[in-house]
Amino acid sequence: MKYGELKWTEVEAIDKRKVVLLPIAALEQHGHHMPMLTDTFIATKIAQRAEAAMKDDVLLMPTFWVGSSNHHLAFPGTISLDNSVYTRVLKQILHCLIAAGFHRIFLLNGHGGNVVPADQAIYEVALEREDLTDLWLVMSSYWTLAGSAMTDLPVMETRALTHACEYETSMVLALRPELVDMAKARGPQATFFSDYFVPDASRPSRVHSPRLFHRVSKTGAFGSPELASPEKGAALLQTIADEVVAFLKEFAQWPPLEPG
Amino acid sequence: MKYGELKWTEVEAIDKRKVVLLPIAALEQHGHHMPMLTDTFIATKIAQRAEAAMKDDVLLMPTFWVGSSNHHLAFPGTISLDNSVYTRVLKQILHCLIAAGFHRIFLLNGHGGNVVPADQAIYEVALEREDLTDLWLVMSSYWTLAGSAMTDLPVMETRALTHACEYETSMVLALRPELVDMAKARGPQATFFSDYFVPDASRPSRVHSPRLFHRVSKTGAFGSPELASPEKGAALLQTIADEVVAFLKEFAQWPPLEPG
Amino acid sequence: MKYGELKWTEVEAIDKRKVVLLPIAALEQHGHHMPMLTDTFIATKIAQRAEAAMKDDVLLMPTFWVGSSNHHLAFPGTISLDNSVYTRVLKQILHCLIAAGFHRIFLLNGHGGNVVPADQAIYEVALEREDLTDLWLVMSSYWTLAGSAMTDLPVMETRALTHACEYETSMVLALRPELVDMAKARGPQATFFSDYFVPDASRPSRVHSPRLFHRVSKTGAFGSPELASPEKGAALLQTIADEVVAFLKEFAQWPPLEPG
Amino acid sequence: MKYGELKWTEVEAIDKRKVVLLPIAALEQHGHHMPMLTDTFIATKIAQRAEAAMKDDVLLMPTFWVGSSNHHLAFPGTISLDNSVYTRVLKQILHCLIAAGFHRIFLLNGHGGNVVPADQAIYEVALEREDLTDLWLVMSSYWTLAGSAMTDLPVMETRALTHACEYETSMVLALRPELVDMAKARGPQATFFSDYFVPDASRPSRVHSPRLFHRVSKTGAFGSPELASPEKGAALLQTIADEVVAFLKEFAQWPPLEPG
Amino acid sequence: MKYGELKWTEVEAIDKRKVVLLPIAALEQHGHHMPMLTDTFIATKIAQRAEAAMKDDVLLMPTFWVGSSNHHLAFPGTISLDNSVYTRVLKQILHCLIAAGFHRIFLLNGHGGNVVPADQAIYEVALEREDLTDLWLVMSSYWTLAGSAMTDLPVMETRALTHACEYETSMVLALRPELVDMAKARGPQATFFSDYFVPDASRPSRVHSPRLFHRVSKTGAFGSPELASPEKGAALLQTIADEVVAFLKEFAQWPPLEPG
Amino acid sequence: MKYGELKWTEVEAIDKRKVVLLPIAALEQHGHHMPMLTDTFIATKIAQRAEAAMKDDVLLMPTFWVGSSNHHLAFPGTISLDNSVYTRVLKQILHCLIAAGFHRIFLLNGHGGNVVPADQAIYEVALEREDLTDLWLVMSSYWTLAGSAMTDLPVMETRALTHACEYETSMVLALRPELVDMAKARGPQATFFSDYFVPDASRPSRVHSPRLFHRVSKTGAFGSPELASPEKGAALLQTIADEVVAFLKEFAQWPPLEPG
C-alpha cells in the first residue's frame, strides 16, 4: 500500500501492526558521470519492489529525498541538511506515525551520510516514547542489510559499495541509463596510507574520521565505476529487494523485547 | 530541466540565471474522501507542466512533500514538521542552491500551513545573504498566484479554494480519480459567527487566529467537495499552470532592486 | 483597566472572560523625517483609546516596543529581534496569561515585520494549549482591521498605508508633531517593474519576496509622506480606534468554535 | 535625549561616546498590596531622572518591562521570560546598538531575577564583539549601585531592599499611591534556619540556592512593607537617582581597559 | 563515599537524604607560572577532604573539570564550554541525580566563570522540578563559602582571592609544587581607574562588566602570586575544607522551606 | 605529557604536531556487580598507559567522564547527557584545542553510547574548520581499535565485548577488584529471535534499532561476567594499550589527505 494514497479514515481503521516503510536518500553529487538523485533513484526502486511484494503488510511512504550530505557541499549542486536538522525532521515524521498508532517502522537508507543522524533520530524517539513497549524503530542501509548477498554476486568485480562506484553506477544504468555518462566514469585509485582508516569505505576502518569528499576524490566518485553495467545493476536491485523483503517478513512478526 | 538529474559538473557549468523551481506541499488529511498526498499531487503536477513549458529556463526540483501541518494532527495519518523545523529545512535547501550559484529561486506552494514558515525562511535567508544584490527568493501559493484566474473560471461554483473543497477535489479527480471517494465528499456548511474571522478561508479575515482543524470540521474537509468534477479539475490545472508559466517568464527577467 | 496596575490577588479574582489587549510595535527607522518609535506611538495610542472606551472589559498591557525589524537594520538606530526570538517572547507572554486563566487575548499590531512571527506565536501556543477549547488568540495589524475604513477617509490621498508614509506621518503629526521634520519628508516614487510583486505594499502582491529596506528606499520612507497633516492623523486615529473597539466588543462575546 | 525620539539620520550623526541607558525591569507579583508593574515604575523613574540630569550625554531607551520572573509564576498575573530567552533578547538589543556605533551601554536593572541572565547577555556580547577594544557593557541593579546610600538613609528602618518591602513600597507610594493598598501590606517574618542561606536576601548568603517565591512567602512580599511611607520613597528615589548620575558621569569618561 | 564506585543497586538502596557533592572547576590558563588544571586540583582536594570527613553522609562525584572560561580563550590551551552549554550539562547531571531520588545536592565551585551558568542551572532545574517540595540545590564557590575564614588567616598578605594569585598559587604549591614556576609568578599591579568596577575582583564592584582576561592582564595572573608559599596553601586548604564540612553538616539537616 | 599540567605559555610554545589524546567514557550502571565508573576506569587506564609509552608525542587530557547513556537511565544512578548536548560539549572542546593550534586529536572512547554523538561532533567540527587542510579528528572505541587482538586472546571465552561482560568485568577486576562483587555477576542468556538484530552486540546486527537497556537485561549486564578474572583483565589491558600505542605511532605521522 502507498501510505500517502490513503485517506485519514483509512489510516484510522487500518491494522497498526503493518510495517511503515520510509525510504531515506539524498540529492548530492555522484561524480562526473552520475545524476545527483542517484541515491534517491536506487532507494526508491528497492522500496517500491518491496512494497509490491508485500502489498498487504507494508505501507510505503514517499522517499525523503534530502539527505545529510554536508561533506559533499564543495561540489556544487548538492542539497543537504545539517545532521541536527535532519535528525529533527526524521524524529517529527516518526512521532507523527507513532501518534497515528503505528509501532513497526523501517527506515530504508540509501545514503551513507544519513546513518549517524538517522541512528540518533530513532534513539531519541525510542527514549521519548519509552512508554510504548511494543515500539520497533529500525533503520538499515541497503548495503548493510543486503551486505554479503550483494558482494557475493559473481558478476561484481569490486568488493564493496562505496560512492558513485561499480555498484551504484550499475544500478542507475539499470534504472535511468540516459542519465549516466560512462565516458566520464572515473574514481580515484585508492592510495591510502593506513590500515586504520580507509576513506573510501572499501574496507572497514578501525578508527572513525570525517572525510570531506573533495579531500579524497577529485571527481566525487569512488570505486571503479568504469566496471559498471546495466546487467550488474539489474542483478543488484533484484538481490537487494529480495533481502529487504526477507527482512520485512521477519520484522512484521517481531515480538516486544523481553529483558533476560 | 530536472535539477536532480543533472551531474554536479553540469550544475557548475550551467547559466545561473535560470529559475530554480521548488514545489512545496504536504502529506496531511484531506477529509473523508481524498488521499493524504492531495497537495503533493497538485503542486507536483503544476510544477511539472511549468517545467515542460520552459525546459531551458527552469530547473525543477523534487517536491518537498512534508509540510507544516500540525493543525491537522488530530486526524491520524498526517505527517508534519513544526514550523521552526520546516523553516530550517527550507533555509538549508536555499543556502545550498545559493552556494551553488543560483540566485533566482521560486517556491511554488501547495499547502496553506506552509505560508508562514516559508515566508520566514526566505526572509531569514535574504538577511543572511544580504551581500548578494541580485538574489531573488520568491514564494507563492498557487491559489494566490493564479487567484482570480481560478475563481473566475465559469465552471467553478464556489468562490474560493479552501481545503479538500470543490477546487482541490476537482484537481485530484482529474489526476488520480481512483483515490477519491465522492460518496464521502462532505465538508461542513460554514456557519461562522463573525465578519472578522472566517475559519474556512472562503473570504479574507480581518484578524488572524489559528484554527485547529478538528475544531472547525468534523470530516476534515471544507468548501463543497460534492460539487467537484474531473472537468473542473482539468480546467483548473490548465489555468494555474498557465499563470505559473506567465509569472516564471517575467521572473526570469527581473533585475536587481534599486532603491528609490 | 491597565493590566500592570493590578495586584496579583486582583488578577486571581478577576473575570477571565475579559479581553487582554497587548499592543506590539517597533523601534525602527522611519525615514529622514520621523522618530524611531513611530509604530510604538501609534499602536499605543490606539490601544489606549480602546481601553478607555471599554474599561470594564479590556485589560491593557504595556506596549511591547521591540519588534522584528531586521530588514531595517541597514539604517543605524533600529532595534530588532530575530523572528525566532520574537516568536518565543510572544509565546512566553501568552503562556503566562493563559496560565493565569485568561483565554481571550488580542495582539494589536503596529508594525508589518511582526506579522509573520506573531502569527507563528499564536499558532504554536494554540497547538501547545490544544486542551483549552475556549482559547481565543487573535492578532491583527491595525491597517488590516481598520482596512477600508482608513483608506476610504475622504481626506486621504494615497491608497494604502506603507511605511513612514502619508498615513503614519499624519498620525505622528497628530501625536508628537515636535518629532516630525516635514521638510525632510520624502519617500521614493514607486517605479517597480512587476505586477506580481509590489515592494512598498501599496497594492497587494501575488508573490512573496523579502525586501531589505535599503534596497527599496534610500530615505527609509515609502508612500507620499509630504502629503501628511495632523488633521488627517487625527481622523485616522479616531477611525482606527473606533474599528478596534467595534471588533473588541464582538470579540468579547465569541463562543468556542464548534466543528461543522 | 530619548533614544526612540531620534530619527535614524540623527543616530547616524550623533557622537557615539554618549551613554545609552536601557532600564530593565519586570511585570510580576508584588504582594497583596502592590501593582505588578512596581519594578518598572521604579526603574523608569530613576532612569528618567538620570536622563533629565544629563540630557546631552545620555540616550534613554524605553524600559524593557518584561523580566525574568519564572520563580514568581505561581502567583497569577506575572509575565515572565525564561532566562535563556531573556538573555537572547538583551543580546540582540545590544548587538543592534553596537552595530549602530554605540560602545558605552548601561543596563539599569530594577528586578533581582534579571541579574543572572543580564550578566550572561553582556558576557556573551563582549565575547562576540571582542574585536571592539573600546566597548563597555555595564549592568547594575539600582540597589547595588546605590547600595549603602540607600540603606544609610536615616529614615529607613529595615536594612536591605528585598521584594515588595519597606523600600519598594515606599517608592511606589511616592510614585503611584493610588495603586498601593497599605491595609494589605504584609510580608512574612523571616524565620530562616541557616546562616548560610537567607532566602529573603535581607543579608548576603554564603551559598546560592534558587527560591521559588511561593515557597518562601504566602503574600508574595518580603521585608516590612507596613513601614513604608511616601516620604521614604521620595528620599530613596532622590538618593538612587543621584547615585546613578554620579556613576554615569564617571562612566561617560571611562577609557578602554589596558592589560597590566 | 565515592558516587561512581557504587553499583546501581547500591544507589537504589541508599538513603537519599545523603548529600551529593559535585565539584565543578576548570581547565584554563593560570598565568605564566601555574598549570591549567589549577582550579580542578584545588576544588578536587577540598571536596576529597570533605568526603573523607563525612564518609557516611556525602556522596562525592568526580570533578567536572571543564568550565565556562570563554573569557580566557585568548590564552592558548584553555578548554571551555559556552555558558549555555555549560548550563545544560549541569542541568542534565542534576536531573539524573534527582531522577535517582537524591534531593540534597551541593555544587562546590572552584572557578569564577562558572557562577553565572551554574546559578542558571540550579534555577532552571528548581523550576522544572517544582513538584518536589524537599529539593535542595545549592551552589557555592569555596571562596564565598569560606570567605572571611580564608582572608582572615594571619599568614595571608593580600585581601582577596582573585586569579592565579597569592591564594591559588599557595594552594597549588601545597598540592603540586613541581608544576609551579615561582620565577615567573607575576600578575599586574592593579591600576584601575574606578571605584565602581574592579576588574581583578580584589574588592567588590558596584557594577557588573564582563572582563576579557587578556584585556586586564598580560600574564593571565592577578593578585600577588609572588607572595605565595606552600605553608599558606596548606593553611588555606585546611581552612576551606573545614568550612565546607561545617556547611555540609548543617546542609544535611535542612528541612523543606515553609512559606511565611 | 599531561595536557592540564602545562602552563599556557608551554601550550603556546609546544610543537603542535603532537597528538592530543582525549579519553571519553561514562558513569552509568554496569550490572549488579560492577561500579558505575567502569568505563571511566578502563578508558583512563588505557590512555594513561599510552601516554606513558609516548610521553614526548602525546598530550593526555583528563577523561571526560560523563557519557551519553540515556538508554541506561531506567537504572538509578546513571549520569548522562543527551546526545545533542554531548555532541556540543565535544565540539567545543575540539574547537578550543584547534584554536590553540593542535590539529591531530584522538578521542579514545570507552562507552558504546558515545559513538554516534562523538561521530557527529568530529564530523561537524571538520566541516566548520574546512579551512584547515591538515586537521585530523579521529575517534575510536578501544574495542574497535583493538578488535581482533582482544577477542583472539586465548584466555577469553566469549567472542565479543558487550556490557558489564567477561571483558569489562575482567578489566575492573584487574584495576579495582574491591569494587566488583563476583557473587552477583550475572547477565542474561541471550535468547534473541532474529539474525538481523542482536541487542547485546555479541555479533554484528544487519539493522540498527535502539535498545533501552532495561528492555534487554534485568541486571543491566550482558555477556558472561561470571567468567571474568583479573588475569584476563590484565591481558586485555596490555593488549589494548599496545594496540592504541601502535595506532598513535602511525597517527602521529599521518600526512594531509590528497584527493585522488
Side-chain angles (χ1 to χ4, degrees), chain D residues 34-61:
Chain D
M34 290 252 281
M36 296 191 294
L37 276 175
T38 287
D39 294 343
T40 297
F41 292 147
I42 295 172
T44 302
K45 176 58 68 179
I46 296 168
Q48 287 171 338
R49 291 199 181 169
E51 187 267 346
M54 299 179 65
K55 272 201 190 317
D56 287 346
D57 298 317
V58 163
L59 290 163
L60 176 62
M61 297 191 71

Side-chain angles (χ1 to χ4, degrees), chain E residues 106-142:
Chain E
F106 181 52
L107 280 66
L108 177 67
N109 180 40
H111 165 57
N114 295 343
V115 172
V116 163
D119 269 348
Q120 182 131 333
I122 56 177
Y123 176 70
E124 292 185 9
V125 173
L127 288 163
E128 288 159 12
R129 295 310 307 264
E130 191 184 336
D131 57 308
L132 302 175
T133 54
D134 63 349
L135 178 63
W136 275 112
L137 303 174
V138 177
M139 191 276 288
S140 190
S141 303
Y142 67 81

Side-chain angles (χ1 to χ4, degrees), chain F:
Chain F
M1 253 169 294
K2 304 287 171 49
Y3 182 89
E5 297 185 356
L6 298 177
K7 300 163 188 66
W8 74 262
T9 44
E10 292 170 329
V11 171
E12 190 176 52
I14 215 167
D15 181 346
K16 295 304 189 302
R17 287 171 300 186
K18 292 180 199 294
V19 173
V20 179
L21 172 58
L22 173 61
I24 57 176
L27 191 165
E28 71 175 17
Q29 74 82 16
H30 269 76
H32 287 185
H33 67 293
M34 290 251 281
M36 297 191 294
L37 276 175
T38 287
D39 294 343
T40 297
F41 292 147
I42 295 172
T44 303
K45 175 57 69 177
I46 296 168
Q48 287 171 339
R49 289 199 182 171
E51 186 267 345
M54 298 178 65
K55 271 199 190 320
D56 287 347
D57 298 317
V58 163
L59 290 162
L60 177 62
M61 296 191 69
T63 301
F64 192 75
W65 55 264
V66 199
S68 172
S69 306
N70 283 10
H71 50 304
H72 290 277
L73 281 174
F75 299 94
T78 299
I79 304 295
S80 173
L81 302 181
D82 285 350
N83 274 15
S84 63
V85 172
Y86 189 72
T87 294
R88 291 181 69 185
V89 167
L90 293 187
K91 283 184 63 178
Q92 298 199 345
I93 294 174
L94 292 171
H95 275 302
C96 290
L97 290 168
I98 293 168
F102 297 103
H103 53 89
R104 212 174 280 276
I105 305 174
F106 181 52
L107 279 66
L108 177 67
N109 180 41
H111 165 55
N114 295 344
V115 172
V116 163
D119 269 347
Q120 182 131 333
I122 55 177
Y123 176 70
E124 292 185 8
V125 173
L127 288 163
E128 288 159 12
R129 295 310 307 264
E130 191 185 335
D131 56 308
L132 302 175
T133 55
D134 63 348
L135 178 63
W136 275 112
L137 302 175
V138 176
M139 190 275 288
S140 189
S141 303
Y142 69 79
W143 57 88
T144 303
L145 182 49
S148 54
M150 290 169 62
T151 53
D152 289 351
L153 280 177
V155 288
M156 300 312 298
E157 299 174 63
T158 53
R159 298 273 48 88
L161 182 145
T162 60
H163 180 79
C165 58
E166 184 196 6
Y167 287 75
E168 288 191 347
T169 306
S170 293
M171 289 190 276
V172 180
L173 278 175
L175 293 171
R176 300 291 304 271
E178 77 282 10
L179 301 179
V180 184
D181 182 353
M182 284 302 289
K184 296 193 175 151
R186 292 291 176 277
Q189 295 308 309
T191 56
F192 301 111
F193 43 78
S194 174
D195 279 338
Y196 292 95
F197 177 56
V198 183
D200 69 357
S202 57
R203 292 176 279 123
S205 289
R206 289 167 67 191
V207 303
H208 302 217
S209 188
R211 49 174 187 174
L212 307 185
F213 238 77
H214 60 296
R215 292 278 165 72
V216 286
S217 171
K218 281 178 188 155
T219 60
F222 265 144
S224 300
E226 66 281 4
L227 300 177
S229 76
E231 295 74 23
K232 290 175 176 176
L236 282 167
L237 288 167
Q238 185 63 42
T239 298
I240 297 165
D242 289 350
E243 293 286 322
V244 170
V245 168
F247 166 69
L248 288 174
K249 287 195 170 161
E250 188 193 294
F251 179 45
Q253 308 298 330
W254 282 6
L257 282 173
E258 287 293 334

Side-chain angles (χ1 to χ4, degrees), chain D residues 83-136:
Chain D
N83 273 15
S84 62
V85 172
Y86 189 73
T87 294
R88 291 181 68 187
V89 167
L90 293 186
K91 283 184 63 177
Q92 299 199 344
I93 294 175
L94 292 170
H95 275 301
C96 290
L97 290 168
I98 294 168
F102 296 103
H103 53 89
R104 212 176 281 274
I105 305 173
F106 180 52
L107 280 65
L108 176 66
N109 179 40
H111 165 56
N114 295 344
V115 172
V116 163
D119 269 347
Q120 182 131 333
I122 55 177
Y123 176 70
E124 292 184 9
V125 173
L127 288 162
E128 288 159 13
R129 294 312 305 265
E130 191 185 337
D131 56 309
L132 302 175
T133 55
D134 62 349
L135 178 63
W136 274 112

Side-chain angles (χ1 to χ4, degrees), chain C residues 96-109:
Chain C
C96 290
L97 290 168
I98 294 168
F102 297 103
H103 53 89
R104 212 176 281 272
I105 305 172
F106 180 52
L107 280 66
L108 177 66
N109 180 40

Side-chain angles (χ1 to χ4, degrees), chain D residues 7-79:
Chain D
K7 301 163 187 66
W8 75 261
T9 44
E10 292 171 329
V11 171
E12 191 176 52
I14 214 167
D15 181 346
K16 297 302 189 305
R17 286 171 301 185
K18 292 181 199 295
V19 173
V20 179
L21 172 58
L22 173 62
I24 57 176
L27 192 166
E28 70 174 18
Q29 74 83 16
H30 269 76
H32 287 185
H33 67 294
M34 290 252 281
M36 296 191 294
L37 276 175
T38 287
D39 294 343
T40 297
F41 292 147
I42 295 172
T44 302
K45 176 58 68 179
I46 296 168
Q48 287 171 338
R49 291 199 181 169
E51 187 267 346
M54 299 179 65
K55 272 201 190 317
D56 287 346
D57 298 317
V58 163
L59 290 163
L60 176 62
M61 297 191 71
T63 301
F64 192 75
W65 56 264
V66 199
S68 172
S69 306
N70 284 10
H71 50 303
H72 289 277
L73 281 174
F75 299 94
T78 299
I79 305 294

